[in-house]
Amino acid sequence: MTTYTRLALAPLALTLSMTAAAQAVADDGHTGPTFGGQIVGGVLDVADRDKDLWAFRAEAGVGGIYHVNDALRIRYDLVGDFANAINTVDEQTWTPGAHRQDDGEVYIRTARVLLLTDFGSFGFQPRVPSGFWNQIYNNIDVFEYNRFHGQTGQNAIFGQAEQGSDVLSYGSPRFGGGFQFIGAVLTTNAQNDQDFDVYTGRLVYNQGPLNFGIGHTQVRRPGIDNLHRTAFGIGYDFGMVQLGGVYEHNDDREDSSGASDFDAWGVNVSANLTDDWSVSVGYAENDKNLGLENDAVVGTVRHHFNEDVYAFLEAARYDNTDNNLAAGISVSF
């Protein structure tokens, strides 16, 4: 870690400690601030690359809710992701935040304010994990390193990103026993005379053991003028066994022969073998043009010491990119 990074972390660390201390004296009508995070560290072995100590996840932050009145609550979240400041990324690897920050810089993963009303939630979110990814692809995003989303470097199977920025969103109240509609617009380029570059909406259902979602996104960014993405995901929890699947269709209406025009899909089976042991096995593939197609088989085994601490061993085989092996410990707090 560089001296610059240490100096950059110091104010955030001081702020987090002060807010954690303030929790005990929070005013009436204010739930929080609460402090929490997760550190997942271990060893990463990528083919034709030296073994490397790796921070698969390193997050910490605060959040809380102000109860203004019976009809309005204000939620806030601020989360820093330190993995990019810890890891050294190259063309064979990826780490959270590396898609946006330079090497050695801290990435702000979440910075948002939500207005929670009887008529739904209104989100003002300069930085936020993608709700589209988290609610439609969540049943296959169960691995530590091999997560398949569009920001995982050479191993990206899907086009959908896991992290969003400059997001203005609306989420309806739940209806019909578990349905919810969410719509959002994103600004990815502030210099193109177009206030919003991404338009997205999804309908999700989550009730009991069944969850599913379908969504559509229109993307306009440098190099892609009219990309339409449609995705459907489903999962079912049988108790001991959980099943999940996703299908994604990317339609580049400006260039159907380009790298952005492709289909991708994935499936996953997870099982709780005992109270202490669990396993997950997944398969995903895409049919990208220009010789960029790829498929992957991933498996992970976890030993759970308690609900906040577990050890894992994960292995992945890719058809056209580098295989990898990862092992480590996860601690949540």
Side-chain angles (χ1 to χ4, degrees):
M1 185 181 298
T2 65
T3 301
Y4 170 81
T5 299
R6 294 190 185 95
L7 293 174
L9 293 181
L12 179 57
L14 178 61
T15 301
L16 294 180
S17 63
M18 291 174 61
T19 52
Q23 181 178 357
V25 293
D27 295 332
D28 291 341
H30 181 204
T31 303
T34 56
F35 172 75
Q38 183 182 18
I39 299 174
V40 185
V43 177
L44 176 64
D45 184 8
V46 178
D48 300 321
R49 187 179 187 272
D50 292 345
K51 295 179 179 64
D52 202 352
L53 292 177
W54 204 258
F56 300 96
R57 185 169 298 182
E59 301 176 5
V62 295
I65 297 179
Y66 277 97
H67 300 261
V68 179
N69 53 49
D70 291 340
L72 176 62
R73 291 165 296 153
I74 301 176
R75 173 178 172 175
Y76 61 90
D77 297 279
L78 177 63
V79 178
D81 191 322
F82 305 92
N84 186 63
I86 298 169
N87 299 322
T88 300
V89 178
D90 54 32
E91 66 277 0
Q92 291 182 277
T93 60
W94 79 280
T95 197
H99 69 283
R100 178 138 185 171
Q101 303 300 124
D102 292 333
D103 188 37
E105 292 184 346
V106 176
Y107 180 71
I108 301 302
R109 177 168 173 78
T110 306
R112 69 176 179 181
V113 174
L114 298 177
L115 305 183
L116 309 177
T117 76
D118 295 337
F119 304 100
S121 62
F122 301 85
F124 305 89
Q125 305 171 101
R127 294 280 181 87
V128 67
S130 167
F132 197 95
W133 174 267
N134 289 328
Q135 291 185 303
I136 295 180
Y137 300 75
N138 60 301
N139 295 294
I140 64 164
D141 184 15
V142 300
F143 301 104
E144 305 296 335
Y145 182 74
N146 300 277
R147 298 183 58 194
F148 301 141
H149 61 71
Q151 294 163 335
T152 56
Q154 65 167 345
N155 293 336
I157 298 293
F158 296 96
Q160 176 61 40
E162 187 270 342
Q163 183 72 26
S165 59
D166 300 304
V167 181
L168 182 65
S169 67
Y170 167 76
S172 75
R174 296 193 179 274
F175 62 92
F179 286 96
Q180 185 183 28
F181 172 79
I182 303 96
V185 292
L186 292 76
T187 301
T188 59
N189 184 348
Q191 306 296 330
N192 62 352
D193 296 323
Q194 185 171 280
D195 289 333
F196 303 118
D197 305 299
V198 179
Y199 297 84
T200 181
R202 61 190 183 274
L203 179 67
V204 298
Y205 176 87
N206 191 349
Q207 186 68 27
L210 175 66
N211 70 85
F212 61 83
I214 186 170
H216 184 79
T217 298
Q218 181 181 7
V219 180
R220 291 180 175 175
R221 63 172 187 258
I224 298 179
D225 186 59
N226 195 10
L227 173 67
H228 289 253
R229 175 178 299 127
T230 303
F232 173 76
I234 187 169
Y236 197 91
D237 187 347
F238 292 92
M240 180 178 175
V241 177
Q242 301 84 45
L243 302 178
V246 172
Y247 174 77
E248 177 189 272
H249 174 66
N250 294 278
D251 179 14
D252 187 344
R253 299 186 179 179
E254 294 293 319
D255 184 6
S256 61
S257 62
S260 298
D261 191 287
F262 67 94
D263 292 347
W265 64 277
V267 292
N268 181 78
V269 179
S270 297
N272 305 312
L273 302 180
T274 68
D275 290 340
D276 299 331
W277 291 94
S278 66
V279 298
S280 296
V281 178
Y283 174 82
E285 71 171 40
N286 61 40
D287 63 356
K288 289 184 178 182
N289 299 314
L290 307 176
L292 300 175
E293 69 276 7
N294 206 0
D295 63 65
V297 178
V298 184
T300 189
V301 178
R302 294 182 177 93
H303 177 68
H304 303 266
F305 299 101
N306 54 50
E307 63 180 11
D308 295 322
V309 182
Y310 64 83
F312 69 90
L313 175 65
E314 180 172 302
R317 182 209 61 80
Y318 289 85
D319 186 38
N320 285 324
T321 50
D322 296 317
N323 302 330
N324 63 72
L325 182 67
I329 300 285
S330 172
V331 179
S332 299
F333 52 90

